[in-house]
Amino acid sequence: KWKKRKRNQVEESTYIRYERLCRLHILPAIGNLKLQKINTLTVQNLIDDLASEHNFAKKSCRLVTTIIKDVFRRAIIEGLVKANPVQEIDLPKESESEMVIWDQPDIELFLSLRNERTRGKYYIAILMALFTGMRKGEILGLTWDNIDFDNNIIHIKQILESDGSKISKKTKSKSFRQV
């Protein structure tokens, strides 16, 4: 019931992320339990397992707790439970892995790749990201009519959803961007 109601309250990309977390992680772990039997320890064990066994980052664990907390918030409103067991969950510490950012020598090495075998199939997409600052979904959502060759402008009017299912007209900013 929660998923059905949530589908009408959030953006589709957010709903897809919620649905995937529910289907792959939350329901297999605690979906067979009655709401009244789920307590703080049950949810804490789920979060600990996601962090240690599935390498979930703190942000992903926070999203799982947000989902479960919202399910219980709704269950309280509907009189199904009296308390929300997700209030005192400890999230894992931040991951120590750092984002790898290319420096000038990395960019020069990439640009020096001459033949198709060494460049790889994503060469053009990476070039576009380097020179325009476009996001992955923006690059993958491009169509030929988004490119103004006469004025050397790319119009970002749509994105490819993160799950690859469809093109969405909802870009990060309210109106389309030009690069």
Side-chain angles (χ1 to χ4, degrees):
K1 287 174 73 176
W2 177 85
K3 284 194 320 182
K4 187 176 181 180
R5 183 174 288 124
K6 207 64 176 170
R7 181 172 216 139
N8 299 320
Q9 297 173 340
V10 297
E11 292 290 335
E12 187 167 353
S13 59
T14 302
Y15 176 79
I16 289 168
R17 195 167 40 247
Y18 285 177
E19 192 282 326
R20 186 170 189 272
L21 284 170
C22 287
R23 180 174 33 86
L24 296 177
H25 301 288
I26 298 170
L27 292 175
I30 62 174
N32 62 330
L33 300 173
K34 291 187 179 285
L35 283 175
Q36 297 79 2
K37 297 290 184 191
I38 297 174
N39 58 33
T40 302
L41 182 59
T42 307
V43 179
Q44 186 67 62
N45 287 340
L46 168 60
I47 296 302
D48 293 345
D49 181 59
L50 291 174
S52 63
E53 302 298 319
H54 299 281
N55 296 319
F56 268 42
K58 184 175 186 173
K59 183 178 177 181
S60 298
C61 288
R62 184 179 296 116
L63 185 55
V64 169
T65 59
T66 298
I67 291 168
I68 298 171
K69 188 184 290 186
D70 198 46
V71 167
F72 275 92
R73 182 191 62 79
R74 190 77 221 160
I76 290 169
I77 290 169
E78 294 179 8
L80 300 173
V81 294
K82 295 186 188 309
N84 194 330
V86 191
Q87 300 303 330
E88 300 297 326
I89 298 299
D90 296 320
L91 296 173
K93 66 180 181 176
E94 283 293 339
S95 167
E96 292 181 20
S97 63
E98 291 184 28
M99 184 182 302
V100 177
I101 300 172
W102 287 2
D103 56 14
Q104 192 63 35
D106 294 326
I107 294 170
E108 289 171 8
L109 174 63
F110 175 76
L111 294 174
S112 73
L113 300 174
R114 295 286 179 225
N115 69 47
E116 212 170 295
R117 239 180 74 229
T118 56
R119 291 190 317 201
K121 63 183 177 181
Y122 301 112
Y123 184 78
I124 300 299
I126 295 169
L127 274 179
M128 291 182 75
L130 278 173
F131 287 107
T132 67
M134 291 171 63
R135 298 172 179 93
K136 178 176 65 173
E138 294 170 341
I139 293 169
L140 296 173
L142 283 176
T143 54
W144 288 111
D145 63 326
N146 298 141
I147 303 171
D148 179 350
F149 290 102
D150 295 332
N151 296 305
N152 294 323
I153 296 174
I154 300 172
H155 299 279
I156 302 169
K157 300 177 182 179
Q158 60 203 21
I159 61 169
L160 179 68
E161 292 290 341
S162 59
D163 66 350
S165 65
K166 71 175 192 161
I167 297 286
S168 172
K169 300 289 183 193
K170 295 183 180 177
T171 59
K172 286 282 184 183
S173 59
K174 294 289 181 205
S175 60
F176 71 89
R177 290 181 25 210
Q178 294 181 355
V179 292

